[in-house]
């Protein structure tokens, strides 16, 4: 993983969790070949670990195969919520939680 290829390492992305793709706004260019071209995805793997789906892959320079960053995305269902996380030097860090119910109990107004 290369800090010289990104504007900011692990930027805070709020609740934007990417299962695939690249956050190109944070891509400075390849520190190895000094080109700013497409970022490819390689070594993509999906693992199901006790109900948690883990997707990992490398962001790689199109021209010289330099590894820019390692991307990790997780998805799980905890109680009545879908939980998402992302951690990547290029794409950033983020977490999100969405209710599986039609109406999210956290969004309803208290009765008393």
């Amino acid at each position: 993983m290369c800090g010289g290829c990104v504007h900011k390492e692990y930027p805070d992305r709020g609740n934007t969790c990417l299962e695939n793709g690249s956050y190109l706004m944070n891509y400075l260019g390849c520190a190895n070949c000094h080109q700013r071209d497409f970022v490819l995805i390689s070594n993509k793997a999906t693992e199901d670990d006790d109900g948690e789906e883990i997707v990992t892959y490398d962001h790689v320079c199109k021209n010289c195969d330099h590894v820019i960053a390692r991307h990790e995305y997780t998805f799980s269902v905890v109680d009545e919520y879908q939980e998402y996380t992302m951690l990547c030097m290029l794409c950033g860090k983020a977490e999100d939680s969405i209710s599986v119910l039609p109406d999210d109990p956290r969004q309803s107004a208290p009765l008393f």
Side-chain angles (χ1 to χ4, degrees), residues 5-25:
C5 296
V6 297
H7 288 285
K8 182 177 180 184
E9 293 183 17
Y10 302 99
D12 184 6
R13 298 291 306 282
N15 61 356
T16 302
C17 298
L18 304 174
E19 182 178 357
N20 55 38
S22 303
Y23 181 48
L24 297 179
M25 294 291 292

Side-chain angles (χ1 to χ4, degrees), residues 25-82:
M25 294 291 292
N26 193 36
Y27 183 50
L28 197 60
C30 181
N32 190 48
C33 70
H34 308 289
Q35 299 290 316
R36 189 173 196 282
D37 209 338
F38 293 109
V39 175
L40 303 178
I41 292 174
S42 70
N43 301 323
K44 187 169 185 175
T46 303
E47 178 183 327
D48 192 357
D49 184 26
D50 200 26
E52 181 177 57
E53 179 184 353
I54 303 169
V55 177
T56 57
Y57 57 87
D58 294 331
H59 295 285
V60 178
C61 174
K62 173 189 169 196
N63 299 306
C64 69
D65 293 329
H66 174 71
V67 177
I68 298 161
R70 179 93 170 137
H71 190 103
E72 182 176 296
Y73 165 88
T74 62
F75 167 79
S76 61
V77 177
V78 178
D79 296 325
E80 297 175 344
Y81 295 93
Q82 295 175 337

Side-chain angles (χ1 to χ4, degrees), residues 103-109:
D103 295 317
D104 189 341
R106 296 175 296 191
Q107 304 299 323
S108 61

